Structures are given as C-alpha cells and as structure tokens.
C-alpha cells in the first residue's frame, strides 16, 4: 500500500484577502464602538476617565478571549487557527450593534459619554459616541462683529480733545486774517473844522 506523501495531506484552507480585510475592519470598528459603549455604561456610575477606560478595556478584550479559549481544541490547538480573531470580530461587532440597537435605553448614555469626551478634549472620539447615540452635535455659530454706529456721538458722546483744540485754532486763524475795520482819524488839535464847501472859515 502506497504511503501518502506529506504534500498529499489536506491542508487548512487559507482565508482569502477579502475576508482578512473584512475581519480587520470589523475588529477595528467593533473595538472602538464597544469601548465607547462600555465607557458610557461605566460613566453612568463614575465620571472618572481612568476608571471608564480601564474597565471598558478589560471587558472588551477579556470576554472574547475567554470565549475563544474555551472553543479552542485542547488536543490540537493548531486546528483552531484563526478562531481567536473570528470570535473577537464577532463579539466586538455583535455587542456594539446590540448596544446601539437599543437606542431608547442606551442612546442617552452614549450622548452623555460624547459630552464627557468632548469636554476632555477628545473631539474625534466624541463624534463617534454621538454617532452611536444617533445625534449630531450642533456647532456654535461664529460671533459676528457689532456694526459701528454713530448713535453715541448723536447722544452727546464726549468729543475728542484734540479735535476741539484744532477747531479753536482754525477759528482764531480766520479772525486774524479778516481785514480790520477802518478807523477815522481824529482831527488834530487847533485845526479848524472844514465847512460844507471844503474851505476853512477866514478870520476877520
């Protein structure tokens, strides 16, 4: 009886590149969504940032890894190649979808978590929390400069002292440039007044 060559033994089918891409996207998105979901739950008990992150990280990773460890074959662990990532992807995506699906109960938690993240300076993560909560944050309108108004001047606003001094100086210069009125010279003493004909009266 011919012996089977090693090349003839059936080998485990390699996953296609498309499946690998889908799995990577599922794990990445599911990890972020699940972390924010657990942070929202913990945030209902305490607003402490370290507590929210640590508890969410432990639950997000420990639960799927424990499930995968229970499903791995004990005699031949190599037969469970890819099982851990499959369980991780299914857990992360499944939990995040289930949590956001119950929007009536979990929506307010996610929105409050988004507010906390935004206040702490994590705007991109806060946007994901708002998206999971089914709301869109409204941006504050930009402040518009107030239009300049002359109402203050019309209401008797104080006039600039420099302008008042300049107006006074201009008025003084105009008065100095105006021609002085002619003054009739008084007749010298001892000079007889002229008569109507323009001659002086003779003495007899």
């Amino acid at each position: 009886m011919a012996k089977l060559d090693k090349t003839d033994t059936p080998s485990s089918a390699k996953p296609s590149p498309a499946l690998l891409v889908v799995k990577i996207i599922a794990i990445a998105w599911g990890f972020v969504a699940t972390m924010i979901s657990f942070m929202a739950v913990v945030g209902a008990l305490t607003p402490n940032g370290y507590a929210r992150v640590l508890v969410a990280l432990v639950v997000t990773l420990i639960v799927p890894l424990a499930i995968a460890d229970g499903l791995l074959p004990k005699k031949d662990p190599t037969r469970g190649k890819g099982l851990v990532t499959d369980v991780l992807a299914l857990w992360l995506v499944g939990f995040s979808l289930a949590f956001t699906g119950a929007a009536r109960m979990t929506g307010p938690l996610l929105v409050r978590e988004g507010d906390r993240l935004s206040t702490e300076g994590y705007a991109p993560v806060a946007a994901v929390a708002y998206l999971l909560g089914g709301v869109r944050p409204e941006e504050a309108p930009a402040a518009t400069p107030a239009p300049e108004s002359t109402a203050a001047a019309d209401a008797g606003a104080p006039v600039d002292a420099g302008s008042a001094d300049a107006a006074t100086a201009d008025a003084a210069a105009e008065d100095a440039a105006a021609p002085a009125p002619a003054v009739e010279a008084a007749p010298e003493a001892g000079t007889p007044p002229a008569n109507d004909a323009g001659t002086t009266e003779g003495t007899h």
Side-chain angles (χ1 to χ4, degrees), residues 56-131:
L57 183 62
V58 169
V59 178
T60 300
L61 294 179
I62 293 300
V63 172
L65 292 178
I67 296 174
D69 182 68
L71 295 177
L72 284 174
K74 302 301 180 182
K75 295 182 179 180
D76 189 7
T78 58
R79 296 179 58 185
K81 185 178 181 180
L83 179 63
V84 176
T85 55
D86 291 340
V87 173
L88 190 62
L90 291 174
W91 160 256
L92 295 176
V93 174
F95 179 83
S96 59
L97 289 178
F99 191 85
T100 56
R104 291 185 177 180
M105 295 181 294
T106 61
L109 296 176
L110 291 168
V111 172
R112 284 194 292 270
E113 180 62 26
D115 294 338
R116 285 190 290 266
L117 291 170
S118 179
T119 304
E120 294 169 358
Y122 302 100
V125 187
V128 178
Y130 288 133
L131 178 63

Side-chain angles (χ1 to χ4, degrees), residues 24-36 60 89 91-93 96:
I24 292 173
I25 295 175
I27 292 175
W29 169 254
F31 177 79
V32 174
T34 305
M35 278 286 297
I36 294 176
T60 300
W91 160 256
L92 295 176
V93 174
S96 59

Side-chain angles (χ1 to χ4, degrees), residues 11-29:
S11 59
S12 58
K14 294 182 179 180
S16 63
L19 183 60
L20 288 176
V21 172
V22 172
K23 187 184 295 187
I24 292 173
I25 295 175
I27 292 175
W29 169 254

